Amino acid sequence: MKTAPQDIRIVIADAQPIFRTGLHRALDAEPRFTVVGETGDGAEVVALVDSLEPDLLLLDPDLAR
């Protein structure tokens, strides 16, 4: 017996607001994806991941510096 797939909870972290918005909209088109948070601030990424516990972090490498 197959079980229903779980939603994939995602945080988007990118410095460009227009990119975050476009990516969020694209991910919203897929029913299994749920964007639970987004930020353009490198320092806020850690706090978001700690509090939201996403399955996936889409991280702009420039924010990690």
Side-chain angles (χ1 to χ4, degrees):
M1 177 165 114
K2 281 190 170 182
T3 59
Q6 297 291 324
D7 283 348
I8 298 170
R9 302 174 72 247
I10 302 168
V11 167
I12 302 169
D14 193 279
Q16 300 299 319
I18 194 146
F19 180 78
R20 286 195 317 268
T21 300
L23 184 56
H24 192 148
R25 287 182 182 167
L27 292 169
D28 280 346
E30 171 58 48
R32 287 192 54 208
F33 296 151
T34 303
V35 176
V36 293
E38 61 180 79
T39 185
D41 184 296
E44 189 179 4
V45 173
V46 174
L48 274 178
V49 170
D50 282 345
S51 66
L52 298 174
E53 299 182 354
D55 301 308
L56 180 64
L57 169 62
L58 299 177
L59 176 64
D60 174 357
D62 290 335
L63 287 183
R65 295 181 189 165

